[in-house]
Amino acid sequence: MISQIRTFLSQKGNLIGNAVRNVYTSIEKILFPKGLLHRFILIILVPLLLLQAIVLAFFFDRHWDTVRYRLARDVAGEIGTIATLIQSDYLPPEEIGPVIGALNEKLSLQISFQAREVLPQTAPTKDPTTIQALSKEIKALGYPFIIRETDSQRAAITIQLDSGLLHALVPRKRFFSSTVYVFLIWMFGFSVLLFWIAFLFMKNQVRSIERLSRAAELFGRGQTVNSFKPEGATEVRQAGISFIQMRNRIQRYLTERTGMLSGVSHDLRTPLTRMKLQLSMMDQTEAIKDLQEDVSDMEHMLEAYLSFARGEGKERPEQTCLNDLLRDLIDKAVKSGQQIDFHQEGRVQCICRPNELTRAITNILTNAARYARQAQITIGTHRHMARIIIDDDGPGIPLDKRADVFRAFYRLEKSRNTHTGGIGLGLTITRDIILSHGGSIDLSDSPIGGLRVIITLPLAGRTQEGKQI
Ligand SMILES: Nc1ncnc2c1ncn2[C@@H]1O[C@H](COP(=O)(O)OP(=O)(O)OP(=O)(O)O)[C@@H](O)[C@H]1O
Ligand SMILES: [Mg+2]
């Protein structure tokens, strides 16, 4: 029983903990947004709101109070004058009516007098805020009185004088300043307008940074970005110009590397072919056979150097179904005697250069064939990326050597004997290809005993950060 309660409490605790964590993450996202545009918005919005709050709290509140009390004092003064006139002996009772009538027209008040009436005994009520100032100023006249709002347009005041009751209906505009609201509306309206204009300008600035980052990302994936033009603020424009210069330098370097390596390979091929021909015409002794084997190894090496130097060819990226691409590859490998299991966790589409990707995965399968007995390929998606996992049951690669095997010409087995390994370019080429597709390649331990190669690639229609292109 106790253990059940404990489990229940720990489950509830986990739920509450997760909920608190989610709320905290949401608040953090709002207060400390990661995007540049959101940060810009916050930079403008916070001072704007602070300024308005300060204006409202200090200046505006005091100004509004002053205006309200001044208006109320005027009204109270006029009513007080009439009350004093009625209380005095100068005005005979029959004159009171006509005098008040004449004053009403001038003062835009509705005042009447009821002789010998007495103020009803009502429980004191709290004055609504709109007539608080008026109530305070009437109180200062020193007569007993009742004040209430008859409707939203008027306030009714009844004052007890010695000889009767003085009623006054005061229009709202006489004791309430509506300019305050007008001011508020203007202030708020202008803030929204100014914010909107600032937002449009900022969006433009951010767009130029986004374009630069998109161009850099595409270039990193080996795609052509000739349409990119530096724009925006001077600093962003400068970064754009630097990017173009860097791109040109890299392209020049790649062209030179390809030219040089293909030149060398080409020059070496001719004497090699000649040697091959001459060897085939000689007596086929053991020594000659060994020499022939060495020559054909050299030919293979030259091929590998050439394809490495070529890097990305002229192949254009296209939407490709990775399941089909892998299926073709596996069928070929199985026909040549390799043992491969294929697991598919749904169909996965990618924008890629299919021949290059085929080459990259073939390199890994060749390694599996060379260093292990069987392999297993799994295709699926993970965190908005396509994921290909290739497991084998070979000896694997020790943890401290996993970074080295991606280096060109690096082999775990140092003899450079072609019977115990290859040239050491397979994984280098594979990584080049995967990175140029905006993906990643990682090595780890396989659950079936050997090496696990994990390849991730952006899904079709998504960039690396998971945004739509
Ligand atoms: N599946 C694997 N199991 C064990 N060791 C591996 C595996 N794949 C690669 N290696 C080790 O990593 C080294 C580098 O691999 P890489 O594919 O780059 O070169 P290679 O296979 O020797 O030659 P190449 O692929 O150019 O013909 C290999 O020489 C081998 O020692
Ligand atoms: Mg290899």
Side-chain angles (χ1 to χ4, degrees):
M1 183 67 187
I2 290 173
S3 75
Q4 276 174 338
I5 294 172
R6 226 179 252 158
T7 332
F8 175 78
L9 282 178
S10 82
Q11 278 171 355
K12 284 278 169 226
N14 278 348
L15 279 179
I16 295 168
N18 283 344
V20 170
R21 221 166 291 134
N22 286 346
V23 170
Y24 178 74
T25 326
S26 314
I27 293 173
E28 206 183 10
K29 264 188 195 161
I30 294 169
L31 288 183
F32 307 103
K34 291 210 168 71
L36 193 58
L37 187 62
H38 292 140
R39 285 188 179 184
F40 271 159
I41 289 173
L42 218 65
I43 289 168
I44 289 204
L45 210 59
V46 170
L48 204 71
L49 289 178
L50 263 176
L51 180 74
Q52 293 203 350
I54 291 167
V55 167
L56 273 177
F58 294 102
F59 167 72
F60 195 55
D61 194 35
R62 288 186 60 182
H63 166 78
W64 196 19
D65 260 7
T66 314
V67 170
R68 262 184 8 204
Y69 277 98
R70 284 208 182 137
L71 287 173
R73 200 166 302 154
D74 282 354
V75 174
E78 286 163 16
I79 295 172
T81 312
I82 295 171
T84 316
L85 202 65
I86 296 170
Q87 289 279 73
S88 70
D89 299 332
Y90 301 120
L91 208 60
E94 63 278 9
E95 291 286 319
I96 291 175
V99 169
I100 287 177
L103 284 173
N104 275 348
E105 279 174 26
K106 299 268 180 240
L107 301 175
S108 71
L109 292 172
Q110 272 182 46
I111 296 183
S112 58
F113 180 68
Q114 284 180 307
R116 290 179 296 284
E117 287 291 321
V118 180
L119 211 56
Q121 287 293 317
T122 46
T125 51
K126 211 172 175 303
D127 302 326
T129 37
T130 43
I131 57 169
Q132 248 172 21
L134 189 59
S135 173
K136 201 173 161 201
E137 294 300 327
I138 296 285
K139 197 175 184 179
L141 295 177
Y143 302 105
F145 74 101
I146 298 174
I147 185 166
R148 67 197 154 81
E149 255 183 323
T150 52
D151 50 46
S152 61
Q153 294 307 315
R154 276 173 303 189
I157 305 164
T158 310
I159 295 176
Q160 180 71 71
L161 301 180
D162 294 343
S163 49
L165 287 179
L166 182 70
H167 298 284
L169 265 180
V170 187
R172 190 181 161 84
K173 63 173 193 275
R174 293 267 349 243
F175 62 90
F176 192 82
S177 167
S178 59
T179 52
V180 168
Y181 290 121
V182 175
F183 182 63
L184 256 183
I185 291 165
W186 274 100
M187 197 166 91
F188 183 71
F190 261 110
S191 301
V192 171
L193 187 75
L194 287 179
F195 177 73
W196 187 244
I197 294 171
F199 174 75
L200 290 182
F201 275 107
M202 282 179 319
K203 219 172 153 202
N204 253 343
Q205 294 305 312
V206 173
R207 197 176 295 145
S208 49
I209 298 174
E210 276 175 350
R211 282 207 187 118
L212 173 60
S213 105
R214 187 78 47 86
E217 191 193 332
L218 287 178
F219 181 62
R221 284 160 59 176
Q223 294 177 17
T224 39
V225 277
N226 293 331
S227 60
F228 173 74
K229 271 198 220 86
E231 54 185 31
T234 319
E235 291 82 356
V236 183
R237 203 178 282 252
Q238 191 51 51
I241 293 170
S242 303
F243 164 72
I244 292 178
Q245 286 170 346
M246 182 195 76
R247 182 193 65 187
N248 292 346
R249 266 200 306 274
I250 292 177
Q251 271 171 347
R252 216 172 26 242
Y253 162 73
L254 287 175
T255 321
E256 275 168 15
R257 184 186 75 167
T258 315
M260 196 184 80
L261 265 158
S262 54
V264 169
S265 314
H266 185 264
D267 290 352
L268 284 177
R269 248 194 217 156
T270 325
L272 264 183
T273 321
R274 244 192 339 257
M275 278 166 77
K276 233 169 116 182
L277 205 73
Q278 282 168 352
L279 284 171
S280 68
M281 287 191 299
M282 288 176 163
D283 292 340
Q284 297 298 302
T285 58
E286 269 312 301
I288 295 292
K289 276 186 187 157
D290 284 351
L291 259 176
Q292 269 175 334
E293 229 169 82
D294 284 347
V295 169
S296 87
D297 281 349
M298 281 167 80
E299 252 183 352
H300 282 131
M301 278 182 208
L302 277 181
E303 273 312 312
Y305 294 156
L306 253 182
S307 54
F308 176 59
R310 255 184 245 124
E312 288 156 25
K314 297 276 176 283
E315 198 183 353
R316 291 189 67 79
E318 58 186 70
Q319 177 141 346
T320 312
C321 174
L322 287 186
N323 305 59
D324 296 345
L325 184 140
L326 289 174
R327 169 58 61 207
D328 287 351
L329 246 167
I330 291 166
D331 284 349
K332 271 187 208 141
V334 169
K335 263 186 208 147
S336 68
Q338 207 172 344
Q339 203 182 321
I340 303 175
D341 289 336
F342 188 29
H343 302 287
Q344 304 182 57
E345 298 165 355
R347 292 192 70 75
V348 183
Q349 299 278 342
C350 256
I351 305 279
C352 67
R353 291 176 286 272
N355 289 336
E356 270 183 25
L357 203 60
T358 305
R359 192 159 155 235
I361 295 164
T362 307
N363 285 350
I364 296 170
L365 288 183
T366 313
N367 284 350
R370 191 180 275 158
Y371 307 108
R373 276 178 298 118
Q374 57 162 324
Q376 193 175 294
I377 301 187
T378 313
I379 170 80
T381 55
H382 181 68
R383 293 191 180 161
H384 307 299
M385 297 284 272
R387 186 171 67 169
I388 304 168
I389 299 176
I390 302 150
D391 289 305
D392 69 42
D393 62 349
I397 297 177
L399 195 65
D400 58 330
K401 297 281 185 297
R402 283 181 193 159
D404 294 333
V405 291
F406 287 113
R407 280 182 12 221
F409 309 114
Y410 184 91
R411 284 174 32 166
L412 289 187
E413 204 270 326
K414 301 278 185 239
S415 73
R416 308 222 59 83
N417 188 326
T418 44
H419 297 293
T420 51
I423 301 160
L425 278 175
L427 287 177
T428 317
I429 294 171
T430 301
R431 191 183 57 172
D432 263 16
I433 295 172
I434 300 298
L435 293 185
S436 74
H437 277 80
S440 65
I441 178 165
D442 292 296
L443 304 180
S444 68
D445 294 324
S446 164
I448 60 168
L451 183 71
R452 165 168 274 198
V453 183
I454 306 162
I455 293 175
T456 61
L457 291 164
L459 286 169
R462 280 176 180 274
T463 62
Q464 207 171 357
E465 288 83 34
K467 285 184 204 150
Q468 291 291 321
I469 309 179

